[in-house]
Amino acid sequence: MEEILKKLFDSVLEGDFEGVKSNLQTALDAKLDPTVVLNDGMIAAMREVGCRFEAGDYYVPEMLIAARAMQSGMAIIKPYLQQTDRKSSGKVVIGTVKGDLHDIGKNLVALMLEGAGFEIIDLGVDVPIEEFIRVVREEKPDIVGMSALLTTTMQMMKQTIDAFEAAGLRDKVKFIIGGAPVTESYANKIGADGFSSDASRAVNVAKSLIGE
Ligand code: B1M
Protein backbone atom coordinates (compact mmCIF):
# COMPACT_ATOMS: atom_id res chain seq x y z
CA MET A 1 0.00 0.00 0.00
CA GLU A 2 2.75 2.43 0.98
CA GLU A 3 4.50 1.87 -2.33
CA ILE A 4 1.42 2.47 -4.49
CA LEU A 5 0.56 5.64 -2.58
CA LYS A 6 4.13 6.89 -2.80
CA LYS A 7 4.06 6.45 -6.59
CA LEU A 8 0.76 8.29 -6.80
CA PHE A 9 2.11 11.05 -4.53
CA ASP A 10 5.19 11.45 -6.75
CA SER A 11 3.20 11.55 -9.97
CA VAL A 12 0.93 14.35 -8.63
CA LEU A 13 3.98 16.22 -7.34
CA GLU A 14 5.69 15.97 -10.72
CA GLY A 15 2.52 16.81 -12.65
CA ASP A 16 2.76 13.49 -14.48
CA PHE A 17 -0.76 13.03 -15.90
CA GLU A 18 -0.25 9.50 -17.18
CA GLY A 19 1.44 8.47 -13.94
CA VAL A 20 -1.47 9.86 -11.91
CA LYS A 21 -3.98 7.94 -13.99
CA SER A 22 -2.16 4.61 -13.91
CA ASN A 23 -1.02 4.77 -10.26
CA LEU A 24 -4.47 5.85 -9.16
CA GLN A 25 -6.11 3.02 -11.07
CA THR A 26 -3.62 0.55 -9.54
CA ALA A 27 -4.47 1.83 -6.05
CA LEU A 28 -8.22 1.59 -6.66
CA ASP A 29 -7.94 -1.85 -8.29
CA ALA A 30 -6.01 -2.99 -5.22
CA LYS A 31 -9.11 -1.95 -3.24
CA LEU A 32 -7.31 0.63 -1.12
CA ASP A 33 -9.72 2.90 0.75
CA PRO A 34 -10.48 5.72 -1.75
CA THR A 35 -10.45 8.31 1.05
CA VAL A 36 -6.96 7.23 2.09
CA VAL A 37 -5.85 7.25 -1.56
CA LEU A 38 -7.20 10.78 -1.97
CA ASN A 39 -5.82 12.15 1.30
CA ASP A 40 -2.45 10.40 1.52
CA GLY A 41 -1.68 10.00 -2.17
CA MET A 42 -3.13 13.13 -3.78
CA ILE A 43 -3.97 15.90 -1.30
CA ALA A 44 -0.71 15.30 0.59
CA ALA A 45 1.14 15.80 -2.69
CA MET A 46 -0.60 19.14 -3.25
CA ARG A 47 0.48 20.16 0.25
CA GLU A 48 4.06 19.30 -0.68
CA VAL A 49 3.67 21.36 -3.88
CA GLY A 50 2.71 24.30 -1.65
CA CYS A 51 5.77 23.73 0.57
CA ARG A 52 8.05 23.65 -2.46
CA PHE A 53 6.45 26.83 -3.80
CA GLU A 54 7.00 28.54 -0.46
CA ALA A 55 10.61 27.36 -0.38
CA GLY A 56 11.19 28.76 -3.87
CA ASP A 57 11.78 25.32 -5.42
CA TYR A 58 8.51 25.39 -7.40
CA TYR A 59 7.05 28.31 -9.33
CA VAL A 60 3.47 29.00 -10.47
CA PRO A 61 3.78 26.83 -13.63
CA GLU A 62 4.81 23.78 -11.58
CA MET A 63 1.95 24.45 -9.18
CA LEU A 64 -0.44 24.69 -12.11
CA ILE A 65 0.77 21.48 -13.76
CA ALA A 66 0.50 19.57 -10.48
CA ALA A 67 -3.03 20.95 -10.03
CA ARG A 68 -4.01 19.77 -13.51
CA ALA A 69 -2.57 16.31 -12.86
CA MET A 70 -4.53 16.19 -9.61
CA GLN A 71 -7.70 17.18 -11.45
CA SER A 72 -7.20 14.45 -14.05
CA GLY A 73 -7.15 11.99 -11.15
CA MET A 74 -10.29 13.43 -9.59
CA ALA A 75 -12.34 12.34 -12.58
CA ILE A 76 -11.18 8.76 -12.00
CA ILE A 77 -11.67 8.66 -8.23
CA LYS A 78 -15.03 10.48 -8.28
CA PRO A 79 -17.33 7.42 -8.50
CA TYR A 80 -15.40 5.67 -5.71
CA LEU A 81 -15.87 8.61 -3.36
CA GLN A 82 -19.52 9.13 -4.06
CA GLN A 83 -20.83 5.75 -2.93
CA THR A 84 -23.26 6.38 -0.10
CA ASP A 85 -26.72 5.14 0.81
CA ARG A 86 -27.80 8.15 2.81
CA LYS A 87 -29.25 10.63 0.34
CA SER A 88 -30.04 14.24 1.16
CA SER A 89 -32.67 16.47 -0.34
CA GLY A 90 -30.82 19.74 0.19
CA LYS A 91 -29.69 22.29 -2.40
CA VAL A 92 -26.26 23.94 -2.24
CA VAL A 93 -24.84 26.90 -4.13
CA ILE A 94 -21.04 26.71 -3.97
CA GLY A 95 -18.15 28.79 -5.23
CA THR A 96 -14.64 30.04 -4.62
CA VAL A 97 -14.77 33.65 -3.47
CA LYS A 98 -13.91 36.75 -5.51
CA GLY A 99 -10.21 37.11 -6.34
CA ASP A 100 -9.43 33.45 -5.72
CA LEU A 101 -8.79 30.92 -8.50
CA HIS A 102 -8.19 27.79 -6.42
CA ASP A 103 -10.88 25.22 -7.12
CA ILE A 104 -9.60 21.72 -6.33
CA GLY A 105 -10.85 21.75 -2.74
CA LYS A 106 -14.14 23.39 -3.71
CA ASN A 107 -14.64 20.78 -6.45
CA LEU A 108 -14.02 17.99 -3.95
CA VAL A 109 -16.56 19.43 -1.54
CA ALA A 110 -19.09 19.74 -4.39
CA LEU A 111 -18.38 16.18 -5.49
CA MET A 112 -18.88 14.75 -2.00
CA LEU A 113 -22.07 16.73 -1.43
CA GLU A 114 -23.41 15.62 -4.79
CA GLY A 115 -22.58 12.03 -3.89
CA ALA A 116 -24.60 12.46 -0.71
CA GLY A 117 -27.59 13.53 -2.78
CA PHE A 118 -27.41 17.31 -2.53
CA GLU A 119 -28.35 19.28 -5.63
CA ILE A 120 -25.28 21.36 -6.48
CA ILE A 121 -25.09 24.69 -8.27
CA ASP A 122 -21.39 25.32 -8.77
CA LEU A 123 -20.57 28.96 -9.54
CA GLY A 124 -16.90 28.19 -10.18
CA VAL A 125 -14.07 30.45 -9.06
CA ASP A 126 -13.63 34.20 -8.52
CA VAL A 127 -17.32 34.55 -7.68
CA PRO A 128 -18.44 38.14 -6.98
CA ILE A 129 -20.69 38.76 -3.99
CA GLU A 130 -23.48 39.97 -6.30
CA GLU A 131 -23.40 36.64 -8.13
CA PHE A 132 -23.92 34.69 -4.90
CA ILE A 133 -26.82 37.00 -4.08
CA ARG A 134 -28.38 36.76 -7.56
CA VAL A 135 -28.23 32.97 -7.63
CA VAL A 136 -29.58 32.63 -4.09
CA ARG A 137 -32.53 34.85 -5.01
CA GLU A 138 -33.23 32.73 -8.10
CA GLU A 139 -32.49 29.24 -6.86
CA LYS A 140 -33.43 29.47 -3.18
CA PRO A 141 -30.82 26.99 -1.94
CA ASP A 142 -30.62 25.72 1.63
CA ILE A 143 -26.89 26.33 1.85
CA VAL A 144 -24.22 28.59 0.38
CA GLY A 145 -20.72 27.08 0.42
CA MET A 146 -17.71 29.35 0.08
CA SER A 147 -14.13 28.27 -0.43
CA ALA A 148 -10.98 30.42 -0.12
CA LEU A 149 -7.31 29.42 -0.26
CA LEU A 150 -5.65 32.78 0.18
CA THR A 151 -5.39 34.73 3.41
CA THR A 152 -6.23 37.81 1.36
CA THR A 153 -9.38 36.40 -0.25
CA MET A 154 -10.82 34.77 2.86
CA GLN A 155 -11.90 38.28 3.87
CA MET A 156 -14.44 38.04 1.02
CA MET A 157 -16.32 35.44 3.06
CA LYS A 158 -17.13 38.01 5.72
CA GLN A 159 -18.01 40.59 3.09
CA THR A 160 -20.34 38.13 1.38
CA ILE A 161 -22.16 37.25 4.60
CA ASP A 162 -22.42 40.94 5.48
CA ALA A 163 -23.85 41.66 2.02
CA PHE A 164 -26.49 38.96 2.52
CA GLU A 165 -27.40 40.61 5.80
CA ALA A 166 -27.70 44.00 4.08
CA ALA A 167 -29.82 42.49 1.30
CA GLY A 168 -32.23 40.98 3.84
CA LEU A 169 -31.30 37.45 2.76
CA ARG A 170 -29.17 36.29 5.67
CA ASP A 171 -31.90 34.24 7.31
CA LYS A 172 -32.81 32.54 4.01
CA VAL A 173 -29.63 30.42 3.78
CA LYS A 174 -26.97 28.73 5.89
CA PHE A 175 -23.32 29.42 5.13
CA ILE A 176 -20.59 26.77 5.20
CA ILE A 177 -17.04 27.90 4.67
CA GLY A 178 -13.70 26.16 4.23
CA GLY A 179 -10.29 26.21 2.59
CA ALA A 180 -6.71 25.90 3.79
CA PRO A 181 -6.41 29.19 5.76
CA VAL A 182 -9.96 29.07 7.14
CA THR A 183 -10.52 27.99 10.74
CA GLU A 184 -13.51 27.23 12.92
CA SER A 185 -12.86 30.32 15.00
CA TYR A 186 -12.78 32.49 11.85
CA ALA A 187 -16.09 30.92 10.79
CA ASN A 188 -17.61 31.77 14.17
CA LYS A 189 -16.17 35.26 14.08
CA ILE A 190 -17.75 36.14 10.73
CA GLY A 191 -21.08 34.53 11.56
CA ALA A 192 -20.92 31.50 9.24
CA ASP A 193 -23.20 28.63 10.23
CA GLY A 194 -20.73 25.85 9.52
CA PHE A 195 -17.08 25.15 8.89
CA SER A 196 -15.28 22.09 7.65
CA SER A 197 -11.59 21.38 7.27
CA ASP A 198 -12.20 18.72 4.63
CA ALA A 199 -14.66 17.57 2.02
CA SER A 200 -16.13 14.54 3.75
CA ARG A 201 -16.81 16.42 6.98
CA ALA A 202 -18.47 19.14 4.90
CA VAL A 203 -21.20 16.60 4.05
CA ASN A 204 -21.95 15.98 7.74
CA VAL A 205 -21.97 19.70 8.47
CA ALA A 206 -24.32 20.34 5.53
CA LYS A 207 -26.68 17.56 6.62
CA SER A 208 -26.82 18.78 10.17
CA LEU A 209 -27.51 22.34 9.02
CA ILE A 210 -30.61 21.20 7.16
CA GLY A 211 -31.67 18.97 10.02
CA GLU A 212 -30.85 15.60 8.46
CO1 B1M B 1 -1.84 28.78 -5.00
N1 B1M B 1 -1.39 29.31 -3.16
N2 B1M B 1 -1.55 30.54 -5.56
N3 B1M B 1 -2.18 28.02 -6.72
N4 B1M B 1 -1.76 26.99 -4.18
C1 B1M B 1 -1.58 28.23 -2.09
C2 B1M B 1 -2.98 28.32 -1.51
C3 B1M B 1 -0.45 28.63 -1.06
C4 B1M B 1 -0.77 28.22 0.40
C5 B1M B 1 0.93 28.06 -1.52
C6 B1M B 1 2.03 28.37 -0.55
O1 B1M B 1 2.56 29.46 -0.59
N5 B1M B 1 2.38 27.45 0.33
C7 B1M B 1 -0.37 30.19 -1.27
C8 B1M B 1 -1.31 31.02 -0.39
C9 B1M B 1 -0.56 31.76 0.71
C10 B1M B 1 -1.50 32.53 1.56
O2 B1M B 1 -2.46 33.10 1.16
N6 B1M B 1 -1.15 32.57 2.82
C11 B1M B 1 -0.74 30.31 -2.74
C12 B1M B 1 -0.42 31.42 -3.56
C13 B1M B 1 0.45 32.49 -2.91
C14 B1M B 1 -0.88 31.55 -4.88
C15 B1M B 1 -0.66 32.73 -5.85
C16 B1M B 1 -0.82 34.12 -5.21
C17 B1M B 1 0.74 32.54 -6.48
C18 B1M B 1 1.18 33.64 -7.40
O3 B1M B 1 0.56 33.91 -8.40
N7 B1M B 1 2.26 34.27 -7.02
C19 B1M B 1 -1.73 32.47 -6.93
C20 B1M B 1 -3.07 33.13 -6.58
C21 B1M B 1 -4.06 33.02 -7.71
C22 B1M B 1 -5.45 33.43 -7.26
O4 B1M B 1 -6.18 32.63 -6.70
N8 B1M B 1 -5.80 34.68 -7.48
C23 B1M B 1 -1.87 30.98 -6.82
C24 B1M B 1 -2.20 30.17 -7.90
C25 B1M B 1 -2.31 28.81 -7.86
C26 B1M B 1 -2.54 27.94 -9.09
C27 B1M B 1 -3.54 28.55 -10.08
C28 B1M B 1 -1.21 27.74 -9.80
C29 B1M B 1 -2.97 26.58 -8.44
C30 B1M B 1 -4.51 26.40 -8.30
C31 B1M B 1 -5.11 25.60 -9.42
C32 B1M B 1 -6.53 25.22 -9.12
O5 B1M B 1 -7.02 25.23 -8.01
N9 B1M B 1 -7.22 24.89 -10.19
C33 B1M B 1 -2.41 26.72 -7.02
C34 B1M B 1 -2.24 25.63 -6.13
C35 B1M B 1 -2.40 24.25 -6.71
C36 B1M B 1 -1.92 25.80 -4.75
C37 B1M B 1 -1.61 24.72 -3.69
C38 B1M B 1 -0.21 24.21 -3.97
C39 B1M B 1 -2.55 23.55 -3.60
C40 B1M B 1 -4.04 23.90 -3.37
C41 B1M B 1 -4.87 22.63 -3.50
O6 B1M B 1 -5.47 22.40 -4.52
N10 B1M B 1 -4.85 21.77 -2.47
C42 B1M B 1 -1.71 25.57 -2.36
C43 B1M B 1 -0.86 25.03 -1.23
C44 B1M B 1 -1.69 24.49 -0.08
O7 B1M B 1 -2.89 24.55 -0.04
N11 B1M B 1 -1.02 23.97 0.92
C45 B1M B 1 -1.53 26.96 -2.86
C46 B1M B 1 -5.56 20.50 -2.47
C47 B1M B 1 -7.01 20.71 -2.04
C48 B1M B 1 -7.76 19.40 -2.03
O8 B1M B 1 -6.99 21.24 -0.72
O9 B1M B 1 -8.04 23.42 -1.43
O10 B1M B 1 -7.20 23.08 0.94
P1 B1M B 1 -7.81 22.52 -0.29
O11 B1M B 1 -9.26 21.95 0.06
C49 B1M B 1 -9.50 21.08 1.15
C50 B1M B 1 -9.87 21.82 2.44
O12 B1M B 1 -9.28 23.09 2.55
C51 B1M B 1 -11.37 21.83 2.44
O13 B1M B 1 -11.70 20.60 1.81
C52 B1M B 1 -10.77 20.33 0.77
C53 B1M B 1 -10.63 18.85 0.64
O14 B1M B 1 -10.23 18.22 1.82
N12 B1M B 1 -12.12 22.88 1.75
C54 B1M B 1 -13.41 23.13 2.12
C55 B1M B 1 -11.80 23.66 0.71
N13 B1M B 1 -12.84 24.42 0.39
C56 B1M B 1 -13.85 24.12 1.22
C57 B1M B 1 -15.15 24.60 1.30
C58 B1M B 1 -15.97 24.08 2.30
C59 B1M B 1 -15.51 23.13 3.19
C60 B1M B 1 -14.23 22.63 3.10
O15 B1M B 1 -17.23 24.46 2.45
C61 B1M B 1 -17.87 25.19 1.42
Side-chain angles (χ1 to χ4, degrees):
M1 165 170 167
E2 289 293 312
E3 199 187 322
I4 303 176
L5 291 183
K6 174 77 174 77
K7 281 187 179 167
L8 178 58
F9 179 98
D10 287 342
S11 47
V12 174
L13 192 59
E14 288 156 15
D16 170 8
F17 284 53
E18 291 310 318
V20 170
K21 285 183 195 162
S22 65
N23 291 317
L24 180 54
Q25 201 56 61
T26 307
L28 296 169
D29 290 347
K31 304 250 179 303
L32 298 190
D33 180 342
T35 311
V36 173
V37 173
L38 176 73
N39 288 333
D40 298 358
M42 299 167 75
I43 294 181
M46 293 309 290
R47 226 174 284 127
E48 177 59 22
V49 170
C51 292
R52 292 190 180 193
F53 175 75
E54 235 168 291
D57 296 331
Y58 268 24
Y59 296 92
V60 171
E62 283 92 351
M63 230 172 15
L64 197 55
I65 292 165
R68 290 197 183 139
M70 165 95 185
Q71 276 161 331
S72 72
M74 288 209 348
I76 296 172
I77 203 169
K78 181 174 173 176
Y80 295 83
L81 292 171
Q82 286 190 324
Q83 286 162 0
T84 168
D85 304 331
R86 295 171 292 127
K87 294 290 181 192
S88 161
S89 53
K91 190 175 191 180
V92 179
V93 166
I94 192 166
T96 300
V97 296
K98 176 87 186 140
D100 199 319
L101 303 176
H102 297 85
D103 67 354
I104 297 176
K106 183 266 296 168
N107 291 346
L108 265 173
V109 173
L111 183 157
M112 301 292 261
L113 287 170
E114 190 188 3
F118 283 87
E119 181 185 344
I120 304 296
I121 299 168
D122 188 344
L123 304 183
V125 297
D126 192 19
V127 181
I129 295 173
E130 309 75 51
E131 179 68 356
F132 277 114
I133 289 182
R134 184 187 68 75
V135 176
V136 165
R137 282 210 169 100
E138 271 175 24
E139 299 287 342
K140 304 190 175 28
D142 305 286
I143 294 171
V144 172
M146 292 189 285
S147 180
L149 266 284
L150 301 171
T151 42
T152 45
T153 57
M154 65 189 269
Q155 322 302 331
M156 289 310 296
M157 295 173 153
K158 175 174 172 14
Q159 291 184 35
T160 306
I161 294 176
D162 289 350
F164 269 71
E165 189 78 59
L169 287 171
R170 180 62 190 92
D171 60 344
K172 304 281 184 236
V173 282
K174 304 284 187 194
F175 280 93
I176 300 182
I177 65 170
V182 180
T183 60
E184 180 132 44
S185 79
Y186 180 70
N188 292 335
K189 193 172 133 199
I190 68 168
D193 303 286
F195 158 77
S196 172
S197 58
D198 66 48
S200 40
R201 262 173 255 178
V203 172
N204 297 335
V205 175
K207 285 193 168 188
S208 74
L209 284 179
I210 61 167
E212 287 183 351

